[in-house]
Amino acid sequence: MRLASSLYFSYSAWPVQTCTNLHSPLSPLSNPTPRVVYSLIIINKAGGLVYQRDFHDGLNKLSINDYLVLAGTFHGVHAITRSLTPSALVTSTTPPIPRSSLTGIEVLESALFRLTCFQTVSGTKFLLFTEPQQPNVDVIMRRIYELYADYVMKNPFYQLEMPVRCEAFDRNLVGYVRAR
């Protein structure tokens, strides 16, 4: 039974209760090696690449043209998967699902990496490449989006749908990802 984020209580046949700290270096569940965030890609609502940053080696290096193709292809596949709705969700007795609540691909996982997609209300997509075992990717993605909102969207010189060129965003993003 989990009681808190750092405590785990286990019960045995004996009436003795033991407590293990999950973040202790001696805990079997703790992992001393840090997890890796490989790369971030931001795609505008039209499918154009507006930002790309590598944080760690581990994935094959792509050219800028490959990143442009990847952004456009993912945008198209995301749109197609968003339009696919399982027939089990659509019945005559249930109200129709609002178009805004339908989502496309959210996670694509392989043996070597996990691609997580977060789409904003405005249609901007954040693609985060991490290790498959990376915990709390939603927390990382939320913080990256907060940094984007604070340093890019509040920048009076930034034009929507254009490439992101903001040193403060780069500095804070790299600082956050590498400090984890």
Side-chain angles (χ1 to χ4, degrees):
M1 173 169 89
R2 267 194 110 160
L3 296 180
S5 63
S6 63
L7 294 178
Y8 175 77
F9 287 88
S10 61
Y11 299 97
S12 63
W14 299 97
V16 178
Q17 182 176 351
T18 60
C19 177
T20 305
N21 186 343
L22 290 180
H23 300 296
S24 156
L26 302 176
S27 170
L29 297 177
S30 67
N31 189 353
T33 59
R35 299 292 180 207
V36 176
V37 173
Y38 293 116
S39 182
L40 172 70
I41 297 175
I42 302 176
I43 303 171
N44 65 16
K45 65 182 176 186
L49 178 69
V50 294
Y51 186 81
Q52 185 280 321
R53 180 70 184 231
D54 292 326
F55 300 108
H56 291 284
D57 294 334
L59 297 179
N60 291 337
K61 294 291 181 196
L62 298 176
S63 69
I64 191 63
N65 287 336
D66 291 336
Y67 281 115
L68 291 168
V69 169
L70 177 64
T73 302
F74 186 86
H75 178 74
V77 171
H78 189 272
I80 291 169
T81 58
R82 186 172 184 230
S83 67
L84 298 174
T85 304
S87 59
L89 294 177
V90 180
T91 63
S92 60
T93 59
T94 60
I97 300 170
R99 186 82 179 140
S100 63
S101 67
L102 297 176
T103 62
I105 293 176
E106 292 179 351
V107 175
L108 180 74
E109 200 164 3
S110 76
L112 302 176
F113 70 91
R114 178 191 306 159
L115 166 65
T116 306
C117 176
F118 168 69
Q119 182 173 357
T120 66
V121 176
S122 65
T124 302
K125 293 174 197 67
F126 290 77
L127 305 181
L128 192 65
F129 292 84
T130 63
E131 284 187 334
Q133 302 85 12
Q134 175 72 43
N136 303 324
V137 175
D138 56 335
V139 174
I140 298 169
M141 194 70 87
R142 188 177 324 120
R143 180 64 183 141
I144 290 172
Y145 179 62
E146 288 172 1
L147 291 171
Y148 176 80
D150 286 343
Y151 294 102
V152 176
M153 297 308 293
K154 293 178 183 176
N155 182 347
F157 301 108
Y158 177 69
Q159 295 177 353
L160 291 176
E161 307 299 317
M162 297 304 290
V164 174
R165 291 186 179 93
C166 180
E167 290 179 24
F169 175 65
D170 281 335
R171 262 193 327 271
N172 286 286
L173 178 65
V174 169
Y176 170 70
V177 169
R178 292 202 175 147
R180 295 181 341 83

